[in-house]
Amino acid sequence: MNKFNLIDEPWIPVTGVGLVSLQALFSNTEYRALGGNPVQKIAITKLLLAIAQSACTPQDNDEWANLKPAGLASKCLAYLNQWHDSFYLYGEKPFLQMPAIKTAAIQSFGAVLAEVSTGNTTVLTQSQVEKTLEDADKALLLVQLMGFALGGKADNSVVLSTGYQGKINEKGNISVSLPGTSLGKMGYLHSFFQGNNLHQTLWLNLFTVEQISDMGIYPIGLGKAPWELMPAGENCAIAKTLKASLIGRLIPLSHFCLLIDDGLHYSEGLSHLEYKDGVFDPSMSVASTSKGPKVIWVEPEKRPWRQLTALLSFLSKNNSFDCFQLKLNTGRAVKCIQTIGIWAGGLRVSGGGTNKQYISASDDFVESLIQIETAFLAEPWFENFKLEISGLETLSKSVYMSTLSYFKSQNMESKDQAALASNLFWQLCERKLNDLISACDSTETSQALRPTFLQIAHKAYDTYCANDTARQLDAWAKNRPKLSSYLKPLIKETV
């Protein structure tokens, strides 16, 4: 029975609104941003972009500029109307599901949700408790599993493509299922431009035919959305075209699923090439080095805004990382919008390889949204910003080492306290991020902020290093960060 159509039924979380349908999302210009956790935001953004690219992929930037957000939304609505029957969550052709996988073992929904604790895992918060999922929850989970499934959770005993050896290990046994293409071994950091509303966000991130060709990593170009034509197995002709297309990276079908009432049949799906092979999601940041390709991973202790110099390194002549989602769309964004958001986020995971992936105590979701005037997106601003971020890194290390020495001099445990002081420093710096971004328009104004960050460094140290007793005061004075070198450029200029 065909029921719960994703076009008509509310299931997409939107900030300040709640759940909305695909029809409502493309009809309403007041929806500002997606809700949910960072992985849900990335997965939904990729789905929406796959719909947008399928509905209308401009030939070049001129055609893109003439399309505008309203034009794109209109074409997406027409496209969804055309393919309405392909978006039923249940029925003869369930959305993004493989009925042929019904012989695979059944997993509970909690077992495949990264944030839910199952089995012997300790439950720390109420959000980790497994709950009964409504159809809207199942639709959201299904979209997540296409690219962000944890490795080792699927039943690889079922093979749909005759002769396919991708689910067999070197010893000839059934292999542990690989993590989702968009997740990887430890959790890739993904980045997108964010506009004033969701329509503008999709328009800003929409690729042209020329851009897809310029990437040079998708042999067949755009490709065809899987809801238009699903593969029959892991390595059939359709699967091979998906693995060679942009659409195949937006909706990678990394796992084959079939929903049932209390769980899902679940097996590894399409095995895509990795960044080490030169193929990756356009929202990932990858660099070519002498030791091979390097990617930016999620680091819970390092908020994504601190990675901004790497994400925007294409603005420099000596660029290192390339994020196609940002690099190819910056030039045209500068011409049509005054202020733009750069959103970056993801999920850090442990395990992987031949082991099951899991969320350890130090793993977490991370995300940052940085608002920046598009006029700043040029090399002079970037070089100043890179210099100032480097200075903050130096201050952070000084706070860490000074706090470490303070506690060591009193024969006390020091590493945890030093880490807390350094983290506090970065938290306080983040409050001044917008000021720093604006100040880097010139060397003079950026350096004028340095005394503020120096005070923040001292505050972080003072917060964790008491000076109440004589012994504490002596240790505090001897180990307090010596930061005069940080102000030297400013002092020279003043003199």
Side-chain angles (χ1 to χ4, degrees):
M1 179 180 177
N2 292 338
K3 66 174 184 175
F4 198 89
N5 194 291
L6 276 70
I7 297 173
D8 306 320
E9 303 285 349
W11 65 277
I12 302 171
V14 172
T15 301
V17 177
L19 300 182
V20 305
S21 66
L22 284 168
Q23 174 79 26
L25 187 146
F26 285 109
S27 301
N28 197 316
T29 60
E30 295 181 3
Y31 298 159
R32 296 185 59 82
L34 295 173
N37 64 48
V39 163
Q40 291 170 340
K41 291 178 181 179
I42 299 167
I44 297 172
T45 298
K46 285 158 66 73
L47 171 67
L48 297 177
L49 285 172
I51 292 171
Q53 297 282 178
S54 299
C56 178
T57 297
Q59 187 64 37
D60 52 33
N61 282 337
D62 288 338
E63 189 174 324
W64 170 87
N66 292 329
L67 179 64
K68 300 189 183 307
L72 177 61
S74 177
K75 289 184 178 294
C76 288
L77 287 170
Y79 176 84
L80 291 175
N81 182 62
Q82 177 186 355
W83 291 97
H84 184 274
D85 290 346
S86 297
F87 282 78
Y88 282 105
L89 192 61
Y90 309 100
E92 297 175 0
K93 296 180 180 181
F95 181 69
L96 295 181
Q97 296 170 68
M98 297 286 285
I101 210 73
K102 62 185 178 182
T103 55
I106 298 172
Q107 281 279 23
S108 68
F109 294 123
V112 298
L113 279 165
E115 64 271 25
V116 172
S117 298
T118 56
N120 295 325
T121 307
T122 302
V123 176
L124 299 176
T125 65
Q126 189 65 28
S127 63
Q128 293 177 289
V129 178
E130 185 171 4
K131 304 177 181 68
T132 301
L133 300 189
E134 302 295 335
D135 288 336
D137 303 314
K138 295 176 185 178
L140 182 56
L141 172 61
L142 180 67
V143 173
Q144 284 180 250
L145 293 178
M146 293 301 100
F148 287 93
L150 295 177
K153 301 285 187 177
D155 176 10
N156 272 2
S157 65
V158 179
V159 178
L160 300 184
S161 289
T162 303
Y164 179 66
Q165 298 295 308
K167 296 181 179 180
I168 303 295
N169 62 25
E170 295 177 354
K171 297 180 179 180
N173 300 320
I174 297 171
S175 63
V176 173
S177 59
L178 297 172
T181 300
S182 302
L183 180 66
K185 183 179 179 180
M186 295 186 292
Y188 301 124
L189 186 72
H190 293 262
S191 305
F192 299 92
F193 279 131
Q194 184 167 312
N196 297 323
N197 58 39
L198 285 173
H199 293 180
Q200 189 179 65
T201 293
L202 295 175
W203 178 64
L204 289 168
N205 288 286
L206 188 74
F207 290 118
T208 67
V209 173
E210 287 185 354
Q211 289 175 327
I212 297 170
S213 176
D214 289 343
M215 291 182 210
I217 59 176
Y218 308 123
I220 69 166
L222 176 63
K224 182 171 289 189
W227 51 80
E228 294 185 22
L229 191 61
M230 284 288 286
E234 299 87 353
N235 203 38
C236 67
I238 298 171
K240 290 177 180 178
T241 59
L242 277 168
K243 290 188 282 188
S245 69
L246 171 63
I247 290 290
R249 299 303 295 206
L250 295 175
I251 310 293
L253 295 180
S254 295
H255 284 67
F256 291 156
C257 309
L258 181 63
L259 295 172
I260 57 175
D261 288 341
D262 56 353
L264 71 166
H265 297 280
Y266 192 52
S267 184
E268 189 178 302
L270 307 191
S271 179
H272 291 257
L273 294 175
E274 299 181 356
Y275 74 94
K276 292 182 179 179
D277 305 306
V279 184
F280 45 89
D281 291 7
S283 52
M284 290 166 49
S285 295
V286 180
S288 297
T289 71
S290 58
K291 296 182 180 180
K294 181 181 178 182
V295 71
I296 297 181
W297 300 100
V298 169
E299 298 182 47
E301 72 282 0
K302 192 174 184 178
R303 294 260 295 164
W305 69 267
R306 291 173 56 190
Q307 307 265 37
L308 190 57
T309 53
L311 298 178
L312 297 179
S313 64
F314 58 83
L315 295 174
S316 173
K317 293 177 182 178
N318 301 317
N319 69 302
S320 52
F321 287 93
D322 277 339
C323 174
F324 289 135
Q325 204 70 59
L326 303 180
K327 179 180 179 179
L328 297 182
N329 297 328
T330 293
R332 64 189 193 185
V334 169
K335 299 176 182 178
C336 64
I337 187 170
Q338 184 175 356
T339 302
I340 199 167
I342 298 175
W343 184 93
L347 169 66
R348 182 73 173 200
V349 294
S350 297
T354 59
N355 302 311
K356 291 184 178 181
Q357 280 183 318
Y358 58 93
I359 310 301
S360 72
S362 60
D363 297 329
D364 203 355
F365 295 103
V366 301
E367 64 178 315
S368 289
L369 175 62
I370 304 105
Q371 296 289 345
I372 183 170
E373 290 186 34
T374 52
F376 292 160
L377 295 176
E379 188 170 8
W381 172 87
F382 179 74
E383 293 301 328
N384 282 334
F385 184 74
K386 186 165 64 173
L387 181 65
E388 296 307 316
I389 291 294
S390 177
L392 295 184
E393 293 284 357
T394 300
L395 291 182
S396 173
K397 292 176 183 177
S398 181
V399 169
Y400 181 92
M401 295 306 299
S402 295
T403 306
L404 194 72
S405 298
Y406 169 87
F407 283 96
K408 275 188 175 181
S409 67
Q410 300 178 81
N411 298 319
M412 298 171 66
E413 182 60 37
S414 54
K415 288 186 177 180
D416 290 345
Q417 298 298 321
L420 288 170
S422 179
N423 287 338
L424 176 60
F425 168 77
W426 286 112
Q427 290 172 22
L428 296 174
C429 285
E430 187 169 6
R431 299 177 184 177
K432 297 292 183 179
L433 179 59
N434 290 334
D435 293 339
L436 180 61
I437 288 174
S438 299
C440 287
D441 193 31
S442 73
T443 304
E444 293 77 12
T445 53
S446 63
Q447 290 188 4
L449 269 180
R450 290 193 176 191
T452 299
F453 290 113
L454 186 144
Q455 291 174 5
I456 288 175
H458 282 144
K459 181 176 181 179
Y461 174 80
D462 293 345
T463 299
Y464 286 92
C465 301
N467 57 5
D468 299 324
T469 67
R471 184 185 178 192
Q472 289 175 340
L473 182 60
D474 182 60
W476 175 85
K478 287 181 178 179
N479 296 291
R480 201 162 192 252
K482 309 297 189 292
L483 305 174
S484 58
S485 60
Y486 176 66
L487 296 178
K488 276 185 179 180
L490 184 63
I491 293 170
K492 286 181 180 179
E493 188 173 322
T494 303
V495 173

